[in-house]
Amino acid sequence: MYPPPVQRLITELGKLPGIGQRTAQRLAFHIMRTDAEDANGLADAIREVKKRIGLCEICFNLADEARCRICQDERRDAGLICVVEEPGDVIPIERTHEYRGRYHVLGGALSPIDGVDPEDLKISELYARVAAGSIREVVLATNPTTTGEATALHIAAALRERTPDVAVTRLASGLPVGADLEYADEVTLGKALAGRRAL
Ligand SMILES: [Zn+2]
């Protein structure tokens, strides 16, 4: 159909989430029309994140050094850990300015049907962090979806057993059910944080 380089671009774009065959084709044609500078800029940006960005050794947020900016910040409350599913969930919580603790990024949510079990997420690393001491509270801010709720309940039960002195809280209701945290507006999310309840 298309010359092999074009077909390759369409195939690669089609691997992106939410991009079907038709959209992949449209994007490929757009890239081919774009001038070389912009097209190479895109290719370079992809190469650079793959080369320079890794996960923070403490919280597994995105980092361009061993530790992310938040873990490096001494002013952040080290006694408070907010647990989120993805690095993208840190941003909306930061935007609320309601939260001054640290984070723990799981890398997803438990979903046995999709083959996502506790050992596929950074859950044992969380337990180790909490067991190491000086943590007062763990705020479970996984998404208000079926998998997010299941993940929160799983972690809450384990923490109660392992570290009963540490408070475990969940964001207050008011967040749109079934939606992802990253789509919540900062006022709603700020209220949900301020009104968090014990689990
Ligand atoms: Zn970190």
Side-chain angles (χ1 to χ4, degrees):
M1 282 205 305
Y2 297 114
V6 179
Q7 192 53 54
R8 181 183 170 201
L9 180 58
I10 294 171
T11 304
E12 292 301 326
L13 289 168
K15 291 178 186 170
L16 297 172
I19 305 290
Q21 186 63 18
R22 189 171 289 204
T23 308
Q25 246 172 54
R26 201 163 53 228
L27 288 171
F29 286 122
H30 172 81
I31 290 168
M32 284 184 277
R33 273 196 308 271
T34 306
D35 59 49
E37 194 182 327
D38 284 346
N40 288 330
L42 173 62
D44 290 345
I46 293 172
R47 239 176 255 118
E48 191 182 10
V49 292
K50 293 313 289 180
K51 198 165 76 187
R52 295 199 35 212
I53 301 296
L55 300 181
C56 170
E57 63 184 9
I58 296 176
C59 75
F60 305 99
N61 191 9
L62 298 179
D64 58 2
E65 295 174 66
R67 293 184 179 186
C68 73
R69 271 155 224 263
I70 293 169
C71 287
Q72 283 183 37
D73 187 346
E74 292 293 329
R75 293 164 304 176
R76 304 286 300 224
D77 185 348
L80 196 56
I81 295 181
C82 180
V83 178
V84 296
E85 292 181 23
E86 302 288 350
D89 298 330
V90 170
I91 312 294
I93 295 176
E94 286 295 288
R95 270 204 302 260
T96 66
H97 301 292
E98 285 280 345
Y99 184 70
R100 297 299 302 160
R102 313 271 173 120
Y103 290 90
H104 191 92
V105 182
L106 296 172
L110 291 176
S111 181
I113 298 171
D114 304 310
V116 184
D117 297 312
E119 57 273 20
D120 298 313
L121 305 175
K122 304 293 185 193
I123 288 184
S124 57
E125 289 85 347
L126 172 67
Y127 299 156
R129 260 181 97 182
V130 177
S134 76
I135 306 293
R136 301 186 315 274
E137 180 182 348
V138 175
V139 186
L140 296 169
T142 49
N143 290 325
T145 55
T146 315
T147 55
E149 292 293 351
T151 308
L153 292 176
H154 176 91
I155 293 174
L159 285 176
R160 260 197 303 271
E161 196 169 306
R162 289 158 189 259
T163 44
D165 295 340
V166 176
V168 179
T169 56
R170 181 92 175 109
L171 294 186
S173 51
L175 290 171
V177 173
D180 282 1
L181 222 58
E182 57 179 318
Y183 302 120
D185 69 276
E186 55 235 50
V187 176
T188 308
L189 191 51
K191 277 188 189 150
L193 258 170
R196 61 187 186 266
R197 58 189 160 77
L199 247 191

